[in-house]
Amino acid sequence: MSDTISAESKVRDHRLIEGKAVQARILAEVAEEVATASPPVGKLVSVCIGPTPEVAVYVRNQARAAAKVGIPFDQQVWPAEITQEECKKRIQALNDSKDVLGIILQRPVPAHINVRSLQSAIHPLKDVEGMNPASIGNIVYSDIALAPCTAAASVEMLRSTGLDLKGLEVVMIGHSEIVGKPAALMLTAEGATVTVCHHMTRSVAMHSRRADAVVVAVGKAHLIGPDMIKPGAAVIDIGINQITDEDGTVRIVGDVDTDAVKEVAGWITPVPGGVGPVTVAMLMRNSMVAYRRQKDAGWIS
């Protein structure tokens, strides 16, 4: 037995920040809070508009996490031909229901549906994904408790390294509205000094090579190589890209060339298995933030 443990410890790469370990810790904390909640927490409602097989794995992971923490999970599939007005009516009904803790709007949606309008229709106190413009806007005021889940997961992964975020030099590569920008604002709220790079940045490497931590979310496979990372830096890879090898094998890889960069970095998140599992855990944590805020507002009694 001891020989087996010794062999496993030799194989394990301690530079990799495994998402499952961070996820397990967060879910355990949430489960404890759910178990003692009074009154009991309501249900999470997952909404898919039309058949969306591409999000089936995400919905399944959300349902599993909800089951682990003890939050009821209701999967709803609305007709693909549903109108924008009917969607808003249904969301309003969910907003008004005392049995509904939070609403998750799965993407993509049909072309005739304005997804931003529907995200705005979800009440901020039931916006467990942190996608309502009001939720994202609150981050500017350092209210980061209901932030977009992927952005929150990237900050949680960086925190799990043990690095002190106060004064940490961070380069955020990518400035999307739901990941890059909120992640940069969240890190700023934590006291980090953040530089945001994007497609118009003249030399991304010039910035990333001086950073204590690099967070990447652009959607370009293996964009970041070892020559772009300062030795010992933390690298948080949010990218998910599908590539096909010469032999026809299809693989999921990140925005970072993990095998090469881990020889330089002090910490690095693998893809898959890094930020992804923690994103689901942050959804559960957000759900309990929503529960507490609804209770404070008198919605739950």
Side-chain angles (χ1 to χ4, degrees), residues 259-282:
D259 289 340
V261 171
K262 74 178 183 180
E263 300 304 319
V264 177
W267 300 268
I268 189 168
T269 58
V271 176
V275 174
V278 182
T279 297
V280 179
M282 299 310 296

Side-chain angles (χ1 to χ4, degrees), residues 117-138:
S117 176
L118 294 191
Q119 288 166 346
S120 298
I122 298 171
H123 195 284
L125 290 185
K126 295 199 175 185
D127 177 33
V128 292
E129 287 187 288
M131 299 294 284
N132 185 299
S135 303
I136 295 176
N138 283 338

